[in-house]
Amino acid sequence: MEGLHFRKKEGSRNAEEETEFLDEEEQEKLLQELREQNDTANLNIQIGLVVIGLLVAALFGSVLFQRTNIPSIPIADIFGSTPSLLDSPVFAIFCSLVSVFLAILTLLNSSRVKMMMLPRLPVQYTGLAAIITGSISPVLSISSHTTYIELFFWTIPIVLMMMYYFAFHMINQVYQGLDELEGSKYKYKEIGSVHNMTARKRKLVNRRGEIVKVELPAEDLTFPEADKIVDYGGVVCNIKASDIESDFLNYARKCRNYQSLYTKKHINSDASEWVDSLQSFQFQDMPQFQNDGIQMLLDAANVNVQTCTDILPSFQLVKGIDLGYNNDYVFDVSANSQYAITSASDNFVRLYDLSTLQLSYTIPAHKERISKMKLKSDQHLFTASEDHTLKRWDLRTAGSTGPVQTFKYSKPLTAFDLNCNDTMAIAGTEFSTNTQSADLAFFDTRNASLLHTFTESHGDDITEIQCHPNLPAQFISCSTDGLLNNYDVTEFDEEEAMISVVNSGSSVNKAGYFGPNAEYLYCLTHVETFSLHTFEGDIICDFGDIRSIGLTSVDYAIDCSYDPIAQRFYLITGDNSGTVDFFHVNVGQLQYCQQLKVAGSHSDIVRSLYWNHSTQSILTGGEDGRLCAWQGQA
């Protein structure tokens, strides 16, 4: 493929000497040095710009100390004394001084490197105020028909702001370059080989603004016309899976089978035939492109997908109702022994009679978006919101009273859970640019008081929190920073509390426990990859991108569910037409079980699913504003 180059090895060198890749420690050290040097240079530039601004302020301030009724323009003294022609020069001087100081304040607040601690102000407002106040004097000068020299004097604050803007723009470009460099840094990743072949090295190459993964061929394994050949599983190109013909997926599967045929001396003839076939595949024929298309297929080719419809009973639609939300849609669905419960994008929680799905109560739960809703017993419902609150509702008195308990925090809440003995609530927040952190807040459920906060565990919005079903001090959290963290908070020491960390490599959407003793973890990302891990964070199985399962249409993962009765673990997926599919999960294998799709069910994305394993009843809610009840048939 044009633009993708393989660096070939020479037999006389070892694996480490033959590559030009930096290991992670060296990468971090080099990037840190570059950032420190850049911060130092930017700090010096910032000091210089502030000094220039102060000199301009001193220039205008000198006019105030003139002992004449009509002050002279200081810069005009070079050409001779030029008294100001403005009706109110003192007012113009004050406007110019305010503009200069606002410009300096905007510069100091917008810079990543702080030369002094200042109160954080919205830079868009201070910058706009600087422009407005700086424009007053030139406008007065033009309306008073002053000389060009005086007009130039009054426009100096505007010139200063333009200088600040261009300097700020250039500094930001350097930071963006460093961020791109960090995003495209080389990474080691050793891959085992059945014939003790040389370990492969993987790097990220940033080409034309796209991230492309390239994996080096093993020793003595070369490909002709390296620019046009794709290494089997080594290259990730931006190709949308749905646009790749089915025979290419067959190539990928065949490739996995032929991995064991590679030797140091030659490529098996069948494998060579596969490589030749892959060469003939024209990537330019693909009309649309998305990230990780090939790798997605190769991951799927490595997963055994079978059909086994006798694991689950056949589910039939009992009732489907249009909730009448107009342009609003369902976020979460749950149920207790009496109600089917939904949260919606209009910030309301609604309770429906479980047998008829008729609306019983409407609860105006929050002022901002409801981020999570969870039922923690038959009588207590919890909701978290971007309005900074977590609320407990007593369903026995639903509709007649407000929340029985409210937990408040200083940031919008994006996730939460309660531990197994209902003594502690844990809430996660979105990332704050003010504090440069996303927080985990721990509350005492007896009095709603804040016990402790963790501020260094995640570097972006927290998307999910799950408490261990049996151990009250243990929980997991995941975030759009790609991390799945496992904690034990017997003592609130953020560093010591961390049991394990899983780096998924992508923004994590959902995570949770499964297994008879909740001894395993699952992870679903926003790029629809699916993986299983041990409690200690070791990977059990990486299923890759589930959108390329191929047996049925899959556009996204809804969630996973563990059946403690049958001790089976399920992956639940959906497509954009409202179809829901169930897969029984084994190590390295998915078994396609059942599908929910009949007339009168969903016609759009299904956002949430509640599954009562003991009764084999299911509730689904979607973006089409419908709530559907399903029942497994014996």
mmCIF file with all atom_site columns, all heavy atoms in Angstrom, residues 390 408-410 413 417 424-429 439-443 450-454 462 465 492:
data_model
loop_
_atom_site.group_PDB
_atom_site.id
_atom_site.type_symbol
_atom_site.label_atom_id
_atom_site.label_alt_id
_atom_site.label_comp_id
_atom_site.label_asym_id
_atom_site.label_entity_id
_atom_site.label_seq_id
_atom_site.pdbx_PDB_ins_code
_atom_site.Cartn_x
_atom_site.Cartn_y
_atom_site.Cartn_z
_atom_site.occupancy
_atom_site.B_iso_or_equiv
_atom_site.pdbx_formal_charge
_atom_site.auth_seq_id
_atom_site.auth_comp_id
_atom_site.auth_asym_id
_atom_site.auth_atom_id
_atom_site.pdbx_PDB_model_num
ATOM 1   N N   . LEU A 1 390 ? -26.393 13.259 43.231 1.00 0.00 ? 390 LEU A N   1
ATOM 2   C CA  . LEU A 1 390 ? -26.784 11.855 43.226 1.00 0.00 ? 390 LEU A CA  1
ATOM 3   C C   . LEU A 1 390 ? -27.947 11.731 44.213 1.00 0.00 ? 390 LEU A C   1
ATOM 4   O O   . LEU A 1 390 ? -27.828 12.156 45.360 1.00 0.00 ? 390 LEU A O   1
ATOM 5   C CB  . LEU A 1 390 ? -25.611 10.963 43.643 1.00 0.00 ? 390 LEU A CB  1
ATOM 6   C CG  . LEU A 1 390 ? -25.914 9.502  43.972 1.00 0.00 ? 390 LEU A CG  1
ATOM 7   C CD1 . LEU A 1 390 ? -26.421 8.762  42.741 1.00 0.00 ? 390 LEU A CD1 1
ATOM 8   C CD2 . LEU A 1 390 ? -24.668 8.808  44.545 1.00 0.00 ? 390 LEU A CD2 1
ATOM 9   N N   . LYS A 1 408 ? -24.296 15.690 47.147 1.00 0.00 ? 408 LYS A N   1
ATOM 10  C CA  . LYS A 1 408 ? -23.887 16.799 46.291 1.00 0.00 ? 408 LYS A CA  1
ATOM 11  C C   . LYS A 1 408 ? -22.366 16.840 46.147 1.00 0.00 ? 408 LYS A C   1
ATOM 12  O O   . LYS A 1 408 ? -21.638 16.560 47.089 1.00 0.00 ? 408 LYS A O   1
ATOM 13  C CB  . LYS A 1 408 ? -24.377 18.130 46.879 1.00 0.00 ? 408 LYS A CB  1
ATOM 14  C CG  . LYS A 1 408 ? -25.895 18.254 46.926 1.00 0.00 ? 408 LYS A CG  1
ATOM 15  C CD  . LYS A 1 408 ? -26.334 19.611 47.479 1.00 0.00 ? 408 LYS A CD  1
ATOM 16  C CE  . LYS A 1 408 ? -27.845 19.724 47.501 1.00 0.00 ? 408 LYS A CE  1
ATOM 17  N NZ  . LYS A 1 408 ? -28.292 21.032 48.045 1.00 0.00 ? 408 LYS A NZ  1
ATOM 18  N N   . TYR A 1 409 ? -21.935 17.192 44.926 1.00 0.00 ? 409 TYR A N   1
ATOM 19  C CA  . TYR A 1 409 ? -20.506 17.324 44.649 1.00 0.00 ? 409 TYR A CA  1
ATOM 20  C C   . TYR A 1 409 ? -20.283 18.566 43.804 1.00 0.00 ? 409 TYR A C   1
ATOM 21  O O   . TYR A 1 409 ? -21.226 19.181 43.314 1.00 0.00 ? 409 TYR A O   1
ATOM 22  C CB  . TYR A 1 409 ? -19.977 16.068 43.946 1.00 0.00 ? 409 TYR A CB  1
ATOM 23  C CG  . TYR A 1 409 ? -18.470 15.956 43.974 1.00 0.00 ? 409 TYR A CG  1
ATOM 24  C CD1 . TYR A 1 409 ? -17.780 15.845 45.175 1.00 0.00 ? 409 TYR A CD1 1
ATOM 25  C CD2 . TYR A 1 409 ? -17.729 15.998 42.806 1.00 0.00 ? 409 TYR A CD2 1
ATOM 26  C CE1 . TYR A 1 409 ? -16.401 15.757 45.216 1.00 0.00 ? 409 TYR A CE1 1
ATOM 27  C CE2 . TYR A 1 409 ? -16.349 15.903 42.818 1.00 0.00 ? 409 TYR A CE2 1
ATOM 28  C CZ  . TYR A 1 409 ? -15.691 15.794 44.028 1.00 0.00 ? 409 TYR A CZ  1
ATOM 29  O OH  . TYR A 1 409 ? -14.325 15.719 44.068 1.00 0.00 ? 409 TYR A OH  1
ATOM 30  N N   . SER A 1 410 ? -19.024 18.943 43.633 1.00 0.00 ? 410 SER A N   1
ATOM 31  C CA  . SER A 1 410 ? -18.685 20.211 42.972 1.00 0.00 ? 410 SER A CA  1
ATOM 32  C C   . SER A 1 410 ? -18.587 20.091 41.452 1.00 0.00 ? 410 SER A C   1
ATOM 33  O O   . SER A 1 410 ? -18.368 21.096 40.775 1.00 0.00 ? 410 SER A O   1
ATOM 34  C CB  . SER A 1 410 ? -17.355 20.740 43.522 1.00 0.00 ? 410 SER A CB  1
ATOM 35  O OG  . SER A 1 410 ? -16.321 19.796 43.334 1.00 0.00 ? 410 SER A OG  1
ATOM 36  N N   . LEU A 1 413 ? -21.753 14.827 37.618 1.00 0.00 ? 413 LEU A N   1
ATOM 37  C CA  . LEU A 1 413 ? -21.557 13.395 37.848 1.00 0.00 ? 413 LEU A CA  1
ATOM 38  C C   . LEU A 1 413 ? -21.890 12.618 36.584 1.00 0.00 ? 413 LEU A C   1
ATOM 39  O O   . LEU A 1 413 ? -22.919 12.843 35.947 1.00 0.00 ? 413 LEU A O   1
ATOM 40  C CB  . LEU A 1 413 ? -22.438 12.920 39.002 1.00 0.00 ? 413 LEU A CB  1
ATOM 41  C CG  . LEU A 1 413 ? -22.239 13.642 40.348 1.00 0.00 ? 413 LEU A CG  1
ATOM 42  C CD1 . LEU A 1 413 ? -23.113 13.011 41.420 1.00 0.00 ? 413 LEU A CD1 1
ATOM 43  C CD2 . LEU A 1 413 ? -20.778 13.622 40.777 1.00 0.00 ? 413 LEU A CD2 1
ATOM 44  N N   . ASP A 1 417 ? -22.063 4.122  41.727 1.00 0.00 ? 417 ASP A N   1
ATOM 45  C CA  . ASP A 1 417 ? -22.555 2.843  42.204 1.00 0.00 ? 417 ASP A CA  1
ATOM 46  C C   . ASP A 1 417 ? -22.529 2.850  43.720 1.00 0.00 ? 417 ASP A C   1
ATOM 47  O O   . ASP A 1 417 ? -21.892 3.724  44.342 1.00 0.00 ? 417 ASP A O   1
ATOM 48  C CB  . ASP A 1 417 ? -21.723 1.679  41.665 1.00 0.00 ? 417 ASP A CB  1
ATOM 49  C CG  . ASP A 1 417 ? -22.511 0.365  41.670 1.00 0.00 ? 417 ASP A CG  1
ATOM 50  O OD1 . ASP A 1 417 ? -23.701 0.389  42.044 1.00 0.00 ? 417 ASP A OD1 1
ATOM 51  O OD2 . ASP A 1 417 ? -21.951 -0.671 41.295 1.00 0.00 ? 417 ASP A OD2 1
ATOM 52  N N   . MET A 1 424 ? -21.631 2.876  51.384 1.00 0.00 ? 424 MET A N   1
ATOM 53  C CA  . MET A 1 424 ? -20.813 3.854  50.678 1.00 0.00 ? 424 MET A CA  1
ATOM 54  C C   . MET A 1 424 ? -21.297 4.008  49.240 1.00 0.00 ? 424 MET A C   1
ATOM 55  O O   . MET A 1 424 ? -21.570 3.019  48.557 1.00 0.00 ? 424 MET A O   1
ATOM 56  C CB  . MET A 1 424 ? -19.336 3.417  50.692 1.00 0.00 ? 424 MET A CB  1
ATOM 57  C CG  . MET A 1 424 ? -18.389 4.369  49.959 1.00 0.00 ? 424 MET A CG  1
ATOM 58  S SD  . MET A 1 424 ? -16.653 3.878  50.160 1.00 0.00 ? 424 MET A SD  1
ATOM 59  C CE  . MET A 1 424 ? -16.658 2.274  49.343 1.00 0.00 ? 424 MET A CE  1
ATOM 60  N N   . ALA A 1 425 ? -21.438 5.252  48.816 1.00 0.00 ? 425 ALA A N   1
ATOM 61  C CA  . ALA A 1 425 ? -21.744 5.566  47.422 1.00 0.00 ? 425 ALA A CA  1
ATOM 62  C C   . ALA A 1 425 ? -20.493 6.147  46.778 1.00 0.00 ? 425 ALA A C   1
ATOM 63  O O   . ALA A 1 425 ? -19.796 6.965  47.380 1.00 0.00 ? 425 ALA A O   1
ATOM 64  C CB  . ALA A 1 425 ? -22.903 6.562  47.331 1.00 0.00 ? 425 ALA A CB  1
ATOM 65  N N   . ILE A 1 426 ? -20.211 5.713  45.567 1.00 0.00 ? 426 ILE A N   1
ATOM 66  C CA  . ILE A 1 426 ? -19.037 6.189  44.833 1.00 0.00 ? 426 ILE A CA  1
ATOM 67  C C   . ILE A 1 426 ? -19.529 6.846  43.554 1.00 0.00 ? 426 ILE A C   1
ATOM 68  O O   . ILE A 1 426 ? -20.263 6.231  42.772 1.00 0.00 ? 426 ILE A O   1
ATOM 69  C CB  . ILE A 1 426 ? -18.075 5.039  44.497 1.00 0.00 ? 426 ILE A CB  1
ATOM 70  C CG1 . ILE A 1 426 ? -17.756 4.229  45.750 1.00 0.00 ? 426 ILE A CG1 1
ATOM 71  C CG2 . ILE A 1 426 ? -16.793 5.566  43.863 1.00 0.00 ? 426 ILE A CG2 1
ATOM 72  C CD1 . ILE A 1 426 ? -17.038 2.925  45.463 1.00 0.00 ? 426 ILE A CD1 1
ATOM 73  N N   . ALA A 1 427 ? -19.143 8.086  43.329 1.00 0.00 ? 427 ALA A N   1
ATOM 74  C CA  . ALA A 1 427 ? -19.570 8.836  42.145 1.00 0.00 ? 427 ALA A CA  1
ATOM 75  C C   . ALA A 1 427 ? -18.347 9.265  41.340 1.00 0.00 ? 427 ALA A C   1
ATOM 76  O O   . ALA A 1 427 ? -17.306 9.619  41.901 1.00 0.00 ? 427 ALA A O   1
ATOM 77  C CB  . ALA A 1 427 ? -20.390 10.059 42.541 1.00 0.00 ? 427 ALA A CB  1
ATOM 78  N N   . GLY A 1 428 ? -18.478 9.207  40.019 1.00 0.00 ? 428 GLY A N   1
ATOM 79  C CA  . GLY A 1 428 ? -17.418 9.668  39.123 1.00 0.00 ? 428 GLY A CA  1
ATOM 80  C C   . GLY A 1 428 ? -17.852 10.916 38.396 1.00 0.00 ? 428 GLY A C   1
ATOM 81  O O   . GLY A 1 428 ? -19.049 11.136 38.162 1.00 0.00 ? 428 GLY A O   1
ATOM 82  N N   . THR A 1 429 ? -16.898 11.755 38.027 1.00 0.00 ? 429 THR A N   1
ATOM 83  C CA  . THR A 1 429 ? -17.211 13.043 37.418 1.00 0.00 ? 429 THR A CA  1
ATOM 84  C C   . THR A 1 429 ? -16.639 13.130 36.007 1.00 0.00 ? 429 THR A C   1
ATOM 85  O O   . THR A 1 429 ? -15.834 12.300 35.591 1.00 0.00 ? 429 THR A O   1
ATOM 86  C CB  . THR A 1 429 ? -16.646 14.201 38.249 1.00 0.00 ? 429 THR A CB  1
ATOM 87  O OG1 . THR A 1 429 ? -15.213 14.277 38.071 1.00 0.00 ? 429 THR A OG1 1
ATOM 88  C CG2 . THR A 1 429 ? -16.955 14.021 39.724 1.00 0.00 ? 429 THR A CG2 1
ATOM 89  N N   . ASP A 1 439 ? -12.771 13.200 38.987 1.00 0.00 ? 439 ASP A N   1
ATOM 90  C CA  . ASP A 1 439 ? -12.706 12.756 40.385 1.00 0.00 ? 439 ASP A CA  1
ATOM 91  C C   . ASP A 1 439 ? -13.549 11.511 40.634 1.00 0.00 ? 439 ASP A C   1
ATOM 92  O O   . ASP A 1 439 ? -14.557 11.261 39.954 1.00 0.00 ? 439 ASP A O   1
ATOM 93  C CB  . ASP A 1 439 ? -13.205 13.871 41.313 1.00 0.00 ? 439 ASP A CB  1
ATOM 94  C CG  . ASP A 1 439 ? -12.384 15.147 41.192 1.00 0.00 ? 439 ASP A CG  1
ATOM 95  O OD1 . ASP A 1 439 ? -11.320 15.100 40.550 1.00 0.00 ? 439 ASP A OD1 1
ATOM 96  O OD2 . ASP A 1 439 ? -12.824 16.175 41.744 1.00 0.00 ? 439 ASP A OD2 1
ATOM 97  N N   . LEU A 1 440 ? -13.118 10.757 41.650 1.00 0.00 ? 440 LEU A N   1
ATOM 98  C CA  . LEU A 1 440 ? -13.941 9.729  42.272 1.00 0.00 ? 440 LEU A CA  1
ATOM 99  C C   . LEU A 1 440 ? -14.295 10.224 43.663 1.00 0.00 ? 440 LEU A C   1
ATOM 100 O O   . LEU A 1 440 ? -13.407 10.490 44.473 1.00 0.00 ? 440 LEU A O   1
ATOM 101 C CB  . LEU A 1 440 ? -13.179 8.408  42.358 1.00 0.00 ? 440 LEU A CB  1
ATOM 102 C CG  . LEU A 1 440 ? -12.953 7.650  41.050 1.00 0.00 ? 440 LEU A CG  1
ATOM 103 C CD1 . LEU A 1 440 ? -11.938 6.533  41.258 1.00 0.00 ? 440 LEU A CD1 1
ATOM 104 C CD2 . LEU A 1 440 ? -14.265 7.092  40.517 1.00 0.00 ? 440 LEU A CD2 1
ATOM 105 N N   . ALA A 1 441 ? -15.585 10.403 43.930 1.00 0.00 ? 441 ALA A N   1
ATOM 106 C CA  . ALA A 1 441 ? -16.046 10.940 45.211 1.00 0.00 ? 441 ALA A CA  1
ATOM 107 C C   . ALA A 1 441 ? -16.715 9.830  46.014 1.00 0.00 ? 441 ALA A C   1
ATOM 108 O O   . ALA A 1 441 ? -17.581 9.107  45.496 1.00 0.00 ? 441 ALA A O   1
ATOM 109 C CB  . ALA A 1 441 ? -17.019 12.096 44.994 1.00 0.00 ? 441 ALA A CB  1
ATOM 110 N N   . PHE A 1 442 ? -16.320 9.692  47.278 1.00 0.00 ? 442 PHE A N   1
ATOM 111 C CA  . PHE A 1 442 ? -16.840 8.636  48.158 1.00 0.00 ? 442 PHE A CA  1
ATOM 112 C C   . PHE A 1 442 ? -17.742 9.273  49.215 1.00 0.00 ? 442 PHE A C   1
ATOM 113 O O   . PHE A 1 442 ? -17.319 10.196 49.925 1.00 0.00 ? 442 PHE A O   1
ATOM 114 C CB  . PHE A 1 442 ? -15.690 7.884  48.827 1.00 0.00 ? 442 PHE A CB  1
ATOM 115 C CG  . PHE A 1 442 ? -14.729 7.255  47.846 1.00 0.00 ? 442 PHE A CG  1
ATOM 116 C CD1 . PHE A 1 442 ? -13.665 7.983  47.329 1.00 0.00 ? 442 PHE A CD1 1
ATOM 117 C CD2 . PHE A 1 442 ? -14.897 5.948  47.433 1.00 0.00 ? 442 PHE A CD2 1
ATOM 118 C CE1 . PHE A 1 442 ? -12.776 7.412  46.433 1.00 0.00 ? 442 PHE A CE1 1
ATOM 119 C CE2 . PHE A 1 442 ? -14.015 5.365  46.536 1.00 0.00 ? 442 PHE A CE2 1
ATOM 120 C CZ  . PHE A 1 442 ? -12.960 6.095  46.038 1.00 0.00 ? 442 PHE A CZ  1
ATOM 121 N N   . PHE A 1 443 ? -18.996 8.771  49.325 1.00 0.00 ? 443 PHE A N   1
ATOM 122 C CA  . PHE A 1 443 ? -19.963 9.330  50.252 1.00 0.00 ? 443 PHE A CA  1
ATOM 123 C C   . PHE A 1 443 ? -20.389 8.268  51.273 1.00 0.00 ? 443 PHE A C   1
ATOM 124 O O   . PHE A 1 443 ? -20.498 7.079  50.952 1.00 0.00 ? 443 PHE A O   1
ATOM 125 C CB  . PHE A 1 443 ? -21.217 9.812  49.516 1.00 0.00 ? 443 PHE A CB  1
ATOM 126 C CG  . PHE A 1 443 ? -20.982 10.953 48.570 1.00 0.00 ? 443 PHE A CG  1
ATOM 127 C CD1 . PHE A 1 443 ? -20.701 10.715 47.235 1.00 0.00 ? 443 PHE A CD1 1
ATOM 128 C CD2 . PHE A 1 443 ? -21.026 12.273 49.014 1.00 0.00 ? 443 PHE A CD2 1
ATOM 129 C CE1 . PHE A 1 443 ? -20.490 11.762 46.349 1.00 0.00 ? 443 PHE A CE1 1
ATOM 130 C CE2 . PHE A 1 443 ? -20.810 13.324 48.147 1.00 0.00 ? 443 PHE A CE2 1
ATOM 131 C CZ  . PHE A 1 443 ? -20.538 13.072 46.808 1.00 0.00 ? 443 PHE A CZ  1
ATOM 132 N N   . LEU A 1 450 ? -19.397 13.605 52.478 1.00 0.00 ? 450 LEU A N   1
ATOM 133 C CA  . LEU A 1 450 ? -18.277 13.219 51.619 1.00 0.00 ? 450 LEU A CA  1
ATOM 134 C C   . LEU A 1 450 ? -17.163 12.628 52.473 1.00 0.00 ? 450 LEU A C   1
ATOM 135 O O   . LEU A 1 450 ? -16.661 13.268 53.400 1.00 0.00 ? 450 LEU A O   1
ATOM 136 C CB  . LEU A 1 450 ? -17.775 14.445 50.848 1.00 0.00 ? 450 LEU A CB  1
ATOM 137 C CG  . LEU A 1 450 ? -16.641 14.196 49.854 1.00 0.00 ? 450 LEU A CG  1
ATOM 138 C CD1 . LEU A 1 450 ? -17.114 13.300 48.717 1.00 0.00 ? 450 LEU A CD1 1
ATOM 139 C CD2 . LEU A 1 450 ? -16.132 15.534 49.301 1.00 0.00 ? 450 LEU A CD2 1
ATOM 140 N N   . LEU A 1 451 ? -16.756 11.401 52.170 1.00 0.00 ? 451 LEU A N   1
ATOM 141 C CA  . LEU A 1 451 ? -15.708 10.732 52.936 1.00 0.00 ? 451 LEU A CA  1
ATOM 142 C C   . LEU A 1 451 ? -14.323 11.054 52.396 1.00 0.00 ? 451 LEU A C   1
ATOM 143 O O   . LEU A 1 451 ? -13.401 11.355 53.149 1.00 0.00 ? 451 LEU A O   1
ATOM 144 C CB  . LEU A 1 451 ? -15.922 9.212  52.886 1.00 0.00 ? 451 LEU A CB  1
ATOM 145 C CG  . LEU A 1 451 ? -17.177 8.662  53.550 1.00 0.00 ? 451 LEU A CG  1
ATOM 146 C CD1 . LEU A 1 451 ? -17.321 7.180  53.247 1.00 0.00 ? 451 LEU A CD1 1
ATOM 147 C CD2 . LEU A 1 451 ? -17.121 8.892  55.059 1.00 0.00 ? 451 LEU A CD2 1
ATOM 148 N N   . HIS A 1 452 ? -14.182 10.970 51.072 1.00 0.00 ? 452 HIS A N   1
ATOM 149 C CA  . HIS A 1 452 ? -12.856 11.139 50.479 1.00 0.00 ? 452 HIS A CA  1
ATOM 150 C C   . HIS A 1 452 ? -13.016 11.349 48.973 1.00 0.00 ? 452 HIS A C   1
ATOM 151 O O   . HIS A 1 452 ? -14.087 11.089 48.405 1.00 0.00 ? 452 HIS A O   1
ATOM 152 C CB  . HIS A 1 452 ? -12.002 9.899  50.753 1.00 0.00 ? 452 HIS A CB  1
ATOM 153 C CG  . HIS A 1 452 ? -10.525 10.145 50.631 1.00 0.00 ? 452 HIS A CG  1
ATOM 154 N ND1 . HIS A 1 452 ? -9.781  10.747 51.623 1.00 0.00 ? 452 HIS A ND1 1
ATOM 155 C CD2 . HIS A 1 452 ? -9.652  9.895  49.616 1.00 0.00 ? 452 HIS A CD2 1
ATOM 156 C CE1 . HIS A 1 452 ? -8.518  10.838 51.239 1.00 0.00 ? 452 HIS A CE1 1
ATOM 157 N NE2 . HIS A 1 452 ? -8.418  10.329 50.019 1.00 0.00 ? 452 HIS A NE2 1
ATOM 158 N N   . THR A 1 453 ? -11.946 11.802 48.329 1.00 0.00 ? 453 THR A N   1
ATOM 159 C CA  . THR A 1 453 ? -11.935 11.921 46.871 1.00 0.00 ? 453 THR A CA  1
ATOM 160 C C   . THR A 1 453 ? -10.616 11.401 46.323 1.00 0.00 ? 453 THR A C   1
ATOM 161 O O   . THR A 1 453 ? -9.567  11.555 46.956 1.00 0.00 ? 453 THR A O   1
ATOM 162 C CB  . THR A 1 453 ? -12.128 13.382 46.406 1.00 0.00 ? 453 THR A CB  1
ATOM 163 O OG1 . THR A 1 453 ? -11.103 14.203 46.988 1.00 0.00 ? 453 THR A OG1 1
ATOM 164 C CG2 . THR A 1 453 ? -13.494 13.906 46.796 1.00 0.00 ? 453 THR A CG2 1
ATOM 165 N N   . PHE A 1 454 ? -10.677 10.774 45.152 1.00 0.00 ? 454 PHE A N   1
ATOM 166 C CA  . PHE A 1 454 ? -9.496  10.410 44.372 1.00 0.00 ? 454 PHE A CA  1
ATOM 167 C C   . PHE A 1 454 ? -9.463  11.338 43.158 1.00 0.00 ? 454 PHE A C   1
ATOM 168 O O   . PHE A 1 454 ? -10.461 11.446 42.438 1.00 0.00 ? 454 PHE A O   1
ATOM 169 C CB  . PHE A 1 454 ? -9.561  8.959  43.906 1.00 0.00 ? 454 PHE A CB  1
ATOM 170 C CG  . PHE A 1 454 ? -9.311  7.938  44.980 1.00 0.00 ? 454 PHE A CG  1
ATOM 171 C CD1 . PHE A 1 454 ? -9.415  6.579  44.696 1.00 0.00 ? 454 PHE A CD1 1
ATOM 172 C CD2 . PHE A 1 454 ? -8.961  8.328  46.267 1.00 0.00 ? 454 PHE A CD2 1
ATOM 173 C CE1 . PHE A 1 454 ? -9.186  5.618  45.683 1.00 0.00 ? 454 PHE A CE1 1
ATOM 174 C CE2 . PHE A 1 454 ? -8.724  7.379  47.263 1.00 0.00 ? 454 PHE A CE2 1
ATOM 175 C CZ  . PHE A 1 454 ? -8.839  6.029  46.961 1.00 0.00 ? 454 PHE A CZ  1
ATOM 176 N N   . ILE A 1 462 ? -15.120 9.981  33.532 1.00 0.00 ? 462 ILE A N   1
ATOM 177 C CA  . ILE A 1 462 ? -15.366 8.628  34.053 1.00 0.00 ? 462 ILE A CA  1
ATOM 178 C C   . ILE A 1 462 ? -16.706 8.144  33.496 1.00 0.00 ? 462 ILE A C   1
ATOM 179 O O   . ILE A 1 462 ? -17.721 8.830  33.610 1.00 0.00 ? 462 ILE A O   1
ATOM 180 C CB  . ILE A 1 462 ? -15.367 8.630  35.594 1.00 0.00 ? 462 ILE A CB  1
ATOM 181 C CG1 . ILE A 1 462 ? -13.962 8.992  36.108 1.00 0.00 ? 462 ILE A CG1 1
ATOM 182 C CG2 . ILE A 1 462 ? -15.806 7.282  36.138 1.00 0.00 ? 462 ILE A CG2 1
ATOM 183 C CD1 . ILE A 1 462 ? -13.886 9.218  37.595 1.00 0.00 ? 462 ILE A CD1 1
ATOM 184 N N   . ILE A 1 465 ? -18.806 3.043  36.880 1.00 0.00 ? 465 ILE A N   1
ATOM 185 C CA  . ILE A 1 465 ? -18.327 2.573  38.190 1.00 0.00 ? 465 ILE A CA  1
ATOM 186 C C   . ILE A 1 465 ? -19.160 1.352  38.550 1.00 0.00 ? 465 ILE A C   1
ATOM 187 O O   . ILE A 1 465 ? -20.391 1.377  38.452 1.00 0.00 ? 465 ILE A O   1
ATOM 188 C CB  . ILE A 1 465 ? -18.464 3.664  39.271 1.00 0.00 ? 465 ILE A CB  1
ATOM 189 C CG1 . ILE A 1 465 ? -17.521 4.833  38.996 1.00 0.00 ? 465 ILE A CG1 1
ATOM 190 C CG2 . ILE A 1 465 ? -18.181 3.082  40.658 1.00 0.00 ? 465 ILE A CG2 1
ATOM 191 C CD1 . ILE A 1 465 ? -17.709 6.007  39.923 1.00 0.00 ? 465 ILE A CD1 1
ATOM 192 N N   . PHE A 1 492 ? -8.411  4.796  52.485 1.00 0.00 ? 492 PHE A N   1
ATOM 193 C CA  . PHE A 1 492 ? -8.495  5.754  51.386 1.00 0.00 ? 492 PHE A CA  1
ATOM 194 C C   . PHE A 1 492 ? -7.114  6.323  51.063 1.00 0.00 ? 492 PHE A C   1
ATOM 195 O O   . PHE A 1 492 ? -6.804  7.481  51.339 1.00 0.00 ? 492 PHE A O   1
ATOM 196 C CB  . PHE A 1 492 ? -9.478  6.880  51.725 1.00 0.00 ? 492 PHE A CB  1
ATOM 197 C CG  . PHE A 1 492 ? -10.907 6.442  51.718 1.00 0.00 ? 492 PHE A CG  1
ATOM 198 C CD1 . PHE A 1 492 ? -11.619 6.339  52.900 1.00 0.00 ? 492 PHE A CD1 1
ATOM 199 C CD2 . PHE A 1 492 ? -11.529 6.110  50.529 1.00 0.00 ? 492 PHE A CD2 1
ATOM 200 C CE1 . PHE A 1 492 ? -12.940 5.929  52.898 1.00 0.00 ? 492 PHE A CE1 1
ATOM 201 C CE2 . PHE A 1 492 ? -12.860 5.688  50.514 1.00 0.00 ? 492 PHE A CE2 1
ATOM 202 C CZ  . PHE A 1 492 ? -13.562 5.596  51.700 1.00 0.00 ? 492 PHE A CZ  1
#
